[in-house]
Amino acid sequence: MKKLVKLAQGAVAAGAFLLSFGVMAAPGHGAGHGGGHDAVAAIGKPGNPAKVSRTVVVDMTDAMRFTPDKIDVKAGETIRFKVTNSGKIRHEMVLGTKADLDSHYQMMLNDPGMRHEEPNSVSLEAGKAGDIVWTFDKAGTVAFACLEPGHYPAGMKGAVSVK
């Protein structure tokens, strides 16, 4: 009975999160993740790989750090983030507003098995590499973080400054 109650609580939390963005999770994606149009619009939009302005290499480590953790881009640029997990445990890079990342991290604590498969993120096993192609269409700051339990509060975060 306790397992059923726990499962129901998780489903309700996941549904509330998805409804807050006004969309459902993409097929094949872990339950509880979504990224509505308003949330995505606040940080830019998925980029066209054929129109990449430049590539930024990002390394994720078990020291709970991104290198670099500060990235400067120009409004309108489409960036390919070539992300490598040089650690021995899973890490991820998720682009978002600080508020969205804070909220999403709390959800990850309740379901650490969730995986990100949206265009604004890459989740990588140890030694693996992947890409995020993103267009930053307006000035401001876009945060990024690893939302694996314990990583975000340990300092595994950074920022993209869009000028």
Side-chain angles (χ1 to χ4, degrees):
M1 185 66 170
K2 285 184 180 182
K3 278 186 171 182
L4 184 58
V5 169
K6 192 98 167 140
L7 182 62
Q9 288 173 331
V12 169
F17 180 76
L18 291 172
L19 287 174
S20 74
F21 286 114
V23 299
M24 295 302 290
H29 185 279
H33 285 77
H37 297 290
D38 292 339
V40 170
I43 64 167
K45 61 187 177 188
N48 179 342
K51 296 185 178 181
V52 168
S53 307
R54 64 187 168 106
T55 298
V56 174
V57 176
V58 178
D59 185 43
M60 302 184 296
T61 71
D62 292 346
M64 303 301 152
R65 295 292 181 261
F66 289 96
T67 304
D69 63 354
K70 292 177 179 55
I71 301 165
D72 293 324
V73 303
K74 294 177 184 158
E77 266 193 297
T78 297
I79 303 296
R80 177 184 311 277
F81 293 98
K82 183 70 173 166
V83 185
T84 301
N85 178 357
S86 63
K88 294 184 186 328
I89 58 176
R90 173 184 285 280
H91 292 293
E92 63 185 16
M93 180 177 177
V94 181
L95 299 169
T97 65
K98 184 178 179 323
D100 286 341
L101 294 176
D102 289 346
S103 172
H104 204 124
Y105 178 71
Q106 292 305 312
M107 290 194 66
M108 290 291 291
L109 291 176
N110 293 329
D111 188 357
M114 283 195 259
R115 296 293 172 245
H116 296 99
E117 296 177 14
E118 289 85 18
N120 68 317
S121 65
V122 63
S123 184
L124 301 168
E125 294 292 340
K128 301 294 183 186
D131 293 348
I132 300 172
V133 177
W134 199 257
T135 298
F136 296 90
D137 53 5
K138 58 185 159 195
T141 300
V142 175
F144 61 89
C146 178
L147 301 181
E148 289 291 324
H151 298 202
Y152 187 41
M156 196 162 186
K157 52 190 157 188
V160 178
S161 178
V162 186
K163 305 225 178 204

